[in-house]
Amino acid sequence: MPKIVTETDRLQKRQAILDAAAAEIARYGYDRANVNTIAERAGIGIGTIYLYFQSKEDILGALLDSIGRAIDDIVQECLTQEISWSVRLQLLADAFVALAESHRDYLRVQMSALHGVNRDLGAPMSEWLRITISRLTEAYALASEQGLVAPLPPETLATLVFGTLDSFVLLPEVLSQHTDLSRSAQAVARVLWRGIAPEKSA
Amino acid sequence: MPKIVTETDRLQKRQAILDAAAAEIARYGYDRANVNTIAERAGIGIGTIYLYFQSKEDILGALLDSIGRAIDDIVQECLTQEISWSVRLQLLADAFVALAESHRDYLRVQMSALHGVNRDLGAPMSEWLRITISRLTEAYALASEQGLVAPLPPETLATLVFGTLDSFVLLPEVLSQHTDLSRSAQAVARVLWRGIAPEKSA
Amino acid sequence: MPKIVTETDRLQKRQAILDAAAAEIARYGYDRANVNTIAERAGIGIGTIYLYFQSKEDILGALLDSIGRAIDDIVQECLTQEISWSVRLQLLADAFVALAESHRDYLRVQMSALHGVNRDLGAPMSEWLRITISRLTEAYALASEQGLVAPLPPETLATLVFGTLDSFVLLPEVLSQHTDLSRSAQAVARVLWRGIAPEKSA
Amino acid sequence: MPKIVTETDRLQKRQAILDAAAAEIARYGYDRANVNTIAERAGIGIGTIYLYFQSKEDILGALLDSIGRAIDDIVQECLTQEISWSVRLQLLADAFVALAESHRDYLRVQMSALHGVNRDLGAPMSEWLRITISRLTEAYALASEQGLVAPLPPETLATLVFGTLDSFVLLPEVLSQHTDLSRSAQAVARVLWRGIAPEKSA
DNA sequence: AATGAATGAGCTTTCATTCAT
DNA sequence: AATGAATGAAAGCTCATTCAT
């Protein structure tokens, strides 16, 4: 009779590995994150890691997939709702703050992949990024046609949204400042909205 | 009789090492950049590197110092001039584009340090960042008092400027898009200006 | 109430493990043969292997014992019969061919142990080898006394018989040649017989 | 001025590594031979091994190439000389004994590759084997046409020569017997000659 | 009796750094 | 000053074995 291991158990352990990996990679970067340490953090043996993931790179892939999907969900959710773009931006900023507070390590891993590691390792991330950006671009184009927002080249939109929103989590950490993210989010959302609001003149 | 090596020679060789290192780190990330390859690229022997730098980390430090100073120079230059903030933002964006085009590798190294590697390694960079940001913040605060721009929490300003401007170089590369940076810069500068322009007094 | 497992069941399962192990070791060599794969091939769980054998090394021991005994049986059978040495050699060669065709994997494992792995692991095999060789040597000495064969140092006999007969299976495989073993056996037996036939008394 | 390392130095060090590797592989088999131990035996650092060889497998390749070429040289030398096949066999046997005494480890490595390790690792060896065997076969066929030796299928010849000659070194070791190889060689050469001598009857 | 998830010792290989020349 | 052969710590990964079920 085999040891009974429920699917839930498996998923929990898998998640424990991912969390431990995210913490290590966030702190030391992908290359310096040590698989032994990750196992230790996750409270399991080294070999066990390789029962759940094919390789260290595979772990990174899973992390990037997870955070990439989370961000895309947020964006999708914000775009789906029938609200003004002013509110939408606010919602988006708030959701980013929430994500930053619940999954700060994951967000830092994404950043790390975006800039710090070998390009091909970041593939799972840039796939999501492309999806999310095209989602944003499409919605924005529609709103622009309806005169709800000022027209904007698509790449500018992406730059604004990702460049700005991602910087929330990051800069305060790098500068060792302790900022109130929520307050900061409101300010940024307001600036962005004023920046993209349609021209008032008739 | 020791070979006479002029100060100029030394500086040229040092610069060759830095350029080679920037290229390697930009391509592979700090950890995977190979000191042997850097030496080869720079056209010198491996041992020679260690006559100019204490360690690989020291090279990174010098790179970050160099790019950090360059950015600070740009910002300082932009803030010094007696121009409207609308023009100033445009100038700043253009200067970033110019930097991205002349020192793309250095900029990518900065990004890599900002997100991808061990916090300690990024120290030389965050020092410059702090200097530059406080310079910006101060100037902005003054402008805000004079009613030239809308009031804004300092951390929001930093987020906007760095988050947005850094994203110029980056996102197109990650998404494998070929964008016209200059055009994009103009759009972003305009949006930023509209975002921070003072409320029109009725 | 413990499950009733007949002795036959045990032996069948044991044999299944041995066959699977022989196949794996023949293909990959002892060290690279994977116990997991062996279990899978045998259609049982990994843990079960260790109910039948103490260790991987123990499995190898059993294999070597099995093939060693089989070869000794063949030699003993050939030596027991009342036939001329000319026919005896032919019989021996044919029996080797039959063994090679029915138990090729086992034979390859023996070879692997003879040359490829740690000396200690080969102990169960060299024991049988010694027995078989002394059996051969003894019979040959008797025949030599009776003038049925030319006198020969014992180690030469062993070299000839084992060196030659073992090569049947092997060389064609290594050289990726497809040979008709039976025909080859006849030729070798003839050469050997001519080689050891007694000097014709003038 | 670079450290002057002569080609001779390089070759000596390379040879030291090969000798150490041969000793380790001969004792423990390829898979269990430890690269660290090989380096230690060779009196160098671990990293140095990888300045001379690409990988562990590459070392094995060099060993097999070396012993394969040595054997081929012996066979070629024996076949080139204008002597009777009776003497030729004697010469061959003696040369094998000499090789066995000067390069026993190499010979055991060859055996190990022939039987013990994954087939593809043995590629460099079977190439030489094919060359040597076709050399032998060709020469034998010619002699056979001239009536100097009895006709024999080519694969039988290969079996006899390699199977027999290789067994010299091996069996005594496996059986832990101390044999006088030279005396044994003579006996075997004689038997082989009688076995392949042309039929006397007109 | 049977299972297979879990383990961790041990392996090969890389690469920043040193130092004799 | 300049070199590059030599080094060895440290890393990711495998797989024989155990043991709770």
Side-chain angles (χ1 to χ4, degrees):
Chain A
M1 206 178 338
K3 191 193 294 189
I4 291 170
V5 175
T6 66
E7 188 64 14
T8 315
D9 280 352
R10 273 195 68 82
L11 286 178
Q12 273 183 355
K13 200 166 278 187
R14 191 187 136 97
Q15 194 53 50
I17 296 172
L18 286 178
D19 288 344
E24 282 297 297
I25 297 177
R27 198 181 302 269
Y28 301 111
Y30 174 72
D31 284 305
R32 298 190 173 198
N34 185 302
V35 178
N36 281 42
T37 310
I38 292 173
E40 210 171 328
R41 260 185 117 102
I44 59 174
I46 315 159
T48 310
I49 295 252
Y50 291 90
L51 294 178
Y52 289 82
F53 297 95
Q54 302 244 344
S55 63
K56 187 184 178 184
E57 187 175 336
D58 190 30
I59 299 178
L60 178 64
L63 286 177
L64 294 178
D65 190 61
S66 162
I67 186 68
R69 170 176 288 117
I71 290 179
D72 191 58
D73 281 351
I74 286 175
V75 170
Q76 197 169 8
E77 167 75 14
C78 286
L79 293 178
T80 305
Q81 296 185 44
E82 294 277 351
I83 47 179
S84 73
W85 274 80
S86 163
V87 174
R88 204 190 298 288
L89 283 174
Q90 189 62 53
L91 218 63
L92 205 54
D94 287 342
F96 255 76
V97 169
L99 188 66
E101 265 156 9
S102 66
H103 289 85
R104 171 161 310 219
D105 285 340
Y106 282 74
L107 223 43
R108 292 204 66 205
V109 170
Q110 194 194 39
M111 284 298 169
S112 168
L114 203 55
H115 304 94
V117 296
N118 208 314
R119 202 73 54 83
D120 34 340
L121 296 187
M125 174 212 54
S126 38
E127 263 175 62
W128 275 114
L129 212 51
R130 260 192 291 272
I131 292 175
T132 308
I133 286 182
S134 69
R135 211 186 284 287
L136 254 176
T137 307
E138 210 172 323
Y140 193 90
L142 198 66
S144 174
E145 279 174 28
Q146 300 171 341
L148 301 175
V149 293
L152 215 55
E155 67 269 20
T156 304
L157 179 69
T159 297
L160 284 171
V161 172
F162 278 92
T164 309
L165 296 185
D166 273 351
S167 302
F168 268 119
V169 204
L170 209 75
L171 280 181
E173 263 191 311
V174 172
L175 303 174
S176 308
Q177 296 173 342
H178 295 282
T179 334
D180 177 351
L181 285 186
S182 303
R183 221 171 53 94
S184 196
Q186 292 208 349
V188 166
R190 203 177 325 121
V191 171
L192 282 183
W193 166 241
R194 294 184 61 204
I196 68 167
E199 307 276 347
K200 280 181 187 163
S201 58
Chain B
M1 187 171 30
K3 196 192 293 186
I4 292 171
V5 174
T6 67
E7 188 63 13
T8 315
D9 277 354
R10 273 196 68 82
L11 285 179
Q12 272 183 356
K13 206 168 273 188
R14 190 185 137 95
Q15 192 55 46
I17 295 173
L18 287 178
D19 286 343
E24 281 299 295
I25 297 177
R27 197 181 302 268
Y28 301 111
Y30 174 71
D31 283 302
R32 297 189 178 198
N34 186 304
V35 179
N36 268 283
T37 310
I38 292 173
E40 208 172 329
R41 252 181 192 270
I44 59 172
I46 314 164
T48 311
I49 294 238
Y50 289 87
L51 297 176
Y52 289 81
F53 297 95
Q54 302 239 342
S55 64
K56 188 184 179 184
E57 188 174 335
D58 190 28
I59 300 177
L60 178 63
L63 284 178
L64 294 178
D65 190 60
S66 162
I67 186 68
R69 170 177 288 117
I71 290 179
D72 191 58
D73 282 350
I74 287 174
V75 170
Q76 197 169 6
E77 167 77 12
C78 285
L79 294 178
T80 306
Q81 297 185 44
E82 292 279 351
I83 47 181
S84 73
W85 273 80
S86 161
V87 174
R88 204 191 300 286
L89 282 175
Q90 189 61 56
L91 216 65
L92 203 53
D94 288 341
F96 254 77
V97 170
L99 188 66
E101 267 157 8
S102 66
H103 289 82
R104 172 163 306 224
D105 287 340
Y106 282 74
L107 219 45
R108 292 204 64 203
V109 170
Q110 194 193 39
M111 285 297 170
S112 170
L114 202 56
H115 302 95
V117 297
N118 202 310
R119 201 78 52 83
D120 315 340
L121 300 188
M125 174 209 53
S126 40
E127 266 176 57
W128 276 113
L129 214 50
R130 259 192 293 273
I131 291 174
T132 307
I133 286 181
S134 67
R135 212 185 283 285
L136 253 176
T137 307
E138 210 172 323
Y140 193 90
L142 199 66
S144 173
E145 277 174 29
Q146 300 172 342
L148 302 175
V149 294
L152 214 56
E155 67 270 18
T156 304
L157 180 69
T159 297
L160 284 170
V161 172
F162 279 92
T164 308
L165 296 185
D166 273 350
S167 301
F168 269 119
V169 204
L170 207 75
L171 280 182
E173 265 190 309
V174 171
L175 302 174
S176 308
Q177 294 173 341
H178 295 282
T179 334
D180 178 351
L181 287 186
S182 304
R183 223 170 54 92
S184 198
Q186 294 207 349
V188 167
R190 204 176 325 120
V191 171
L192 283 183
W193 167 242
R194 293 185 61 207
I196 68 168
E199 307 276 347
K200 281 180 192 163
S201 54
Chain C
M1 186 171 30
K3 196 192 293 186
I4 291 172
V5 175
T6 67
E7 189 64 15
T8 315
D9 277 355
R10 272 197 68 83
L11 285 178
Q12 272 182 357
K13 205 168 275 189
R14 190 186 137 96
Q15 192 55 46
I17 296 173
L18 288 178
D19 288 343
E24 281 299 296
I25 298 178
R27 198 181 301 268
Y28 301 111
Y30 174 72
D31 283 303
R32 298 186 178 199
N34 187 304
V35 178
N36 268 284
T37 311
I38 292 173
E40 207 172 329
R41 253 180 191 270
I44 60 173
I46 315 162
T48 311
I49 295 240
Y50 290 86
L51 296 177
Y52 289 82
F53 298 94
Q54 302 240 340
S55 63
K56 188 184 179 185
E57 188 175 336
D58 190 28
I59 300 178
L60 178 64
L63 283 178
L64 294 177
D65 191 59
S66 163
I67 186 68
R69 170 177 288 117
I71 291 179
D72 191 57
D73 281 351
I74 286 175
V75 170
Q76 197 169 6
E77 166 75 13
C78 284
L79 292 178
T80 306
Q81 295 184 45
E82 293 278 351
I83 46 178
S84 74
W85 274 79
S86 162
V87 173
R88 203 190 302 286
L89 283 175
Q90 189 60 56
L91 217 65
L92 204 54
D94 288 342
F96 255 77
V97 170
L99 188 67
E101 267 156 8
S102 67
H103 289 82
R104 173 162 304 224
D105 285 342
Y106 281 75
L107 220 46
R108 292 203 66 201
V109 171
Q110 193 194 39
M111 285 297 169
S112 170
L114 203 56
H115 303 93
V117 295
N118 202 311
R119 201 78 52 83
D120 315 340
L121 299 187
M125 175 210 54
S126 40
E127 266 176 57
W128 274 113
L129 213 51
R130 261 193 292 273
I131 292 175
T132 307
I133 286 182
S134 68
R135 211 185 283 286
L136 252 176
T137 307
E138 210 172 322
Y140 193 89
L142 198 65
S144 174
E145 277 174 27
Q146 298 171 344
L148 300 176
V149 293
L152 215 55
E155 68 271 19
T156 305
L157 181 68
T159 297
L160 285 170
V161 172
F162 278 91
T164 309
L165 296 185
D166 272 352
S167 302
F168 270 118
V169 203
L170 207 75
L171 280 181
E173 265 190 308
V174 171
L175 303 174
S176 308
Q177 295 173 343
H178 295 282
T179 335
D180 178 350
L181 286 187
S182 304
R183 222 169 54 92
S184 197
Q186 292 208 349
V188 166
R190 203 176 325 121
V191 171
L192 283 184
W193 165 241
R194 294 184 61 203
I196 67 167
E199 308 276 346
K200 282 180 190 162
S201 54
Chain D
M1 207 178 336
K3 191 193 293 189
I4 291 171
V5 174
T6 66
E7 188 64 13
T8 315
D9 279 352
R10 272 196 68 81
L11 286 179
Q12 272 183 357
K13 200 165 277 189
R14 191 187 136 97
Q15 194 55 48
I17 295 172
L18 286 178
D19 288 344
E24 282 298 297
I25 297 178
R27 198 182 301 271
Y28 302 111
Y30 173 74
D31 283 305
R32 298 190 172 199
N34 184 302
V35 178
N36 281 41
T37 310
I38 291 173
E40 210 172 327
R41 258 186 118 101
I44 59 175
I46 315 161
T48 310
I49 295 252
Y50 290 88
L51 294 178
Y52 289 82
F53 297 95
Q54 303 245 343
S55 64
K56 187 185 179 184
E57 188 174 335
D58 189 31
I59 299 178
L60 179 63
L63 286 177
L64 294 179
D65 189 61
S66 161
I67 186 68
R69 171 177 286 118
I71 290 179
D72 190 58
D73 282 349
I74 287 175
V75 169
Q76 197 168 6
E77 166 76 12
C78 285
L79 292 178
T80 305
Q81 296 184 45
E82 294 278 351
I83 47 179
S84 73
W85 274 80
S86 162
V87 174
R88 205 190 300 285
L89 283 175
Q90 188 61 55
L91 218 65
L92 205 54
D94 287 342
F96 254 77
V97 170
L99 188 67
E101 266 156 7
S102 66
H103 289 84
R104 172 162 309 222
D105 285 340
Y106 283 73
L107 222 44
R108 293 203 66 205
V109 170
Q110 194 194 39
M111 285 297 168
S112 168
L114 203 55
H115 304 92
V117 296
N118 209 313
R119 201 75 53 84
D120 34 340
L121 297 187
M125 175 212 52
S126 39
E127 264 177 61
W128 276 113
L129 213 52
R130 261 193 289 274
I131 291 175
T132 307
I133 286 182
S134 69
R135 213 187 282 286
L136 254 176
T137 306
E138 210 173 323
Y140 194 89
L142 198 66
S144 173
E145 277 175 28
Q146 299 171 342
L148 301 175
V149 294
L152 214 56
E155 66 270 19
T156 305
L157 180 69
T159 298
L160 285 170
V161 172
F162 278 91
T164 309
L165 296 185
D166 272 352
S167 302
F168 269 119
V169 204
L170 209 76
L171 280 182
E173 263 190 311
V174 172
L175 303 174
S176 308
Q177 293 173 344
H178 295 282
T179 334
D180 178 350
L181 285 187
S182 303
R183 221 170 53 92
S184 196
Q186 292 207 350
V188 166
R190 205 176 324 120
V191 170
L192 282 184
W193 167 241
R194 293 184 61 205
I196 67 166
E199 306 277 347
K200 280 180 187 163
S201 58

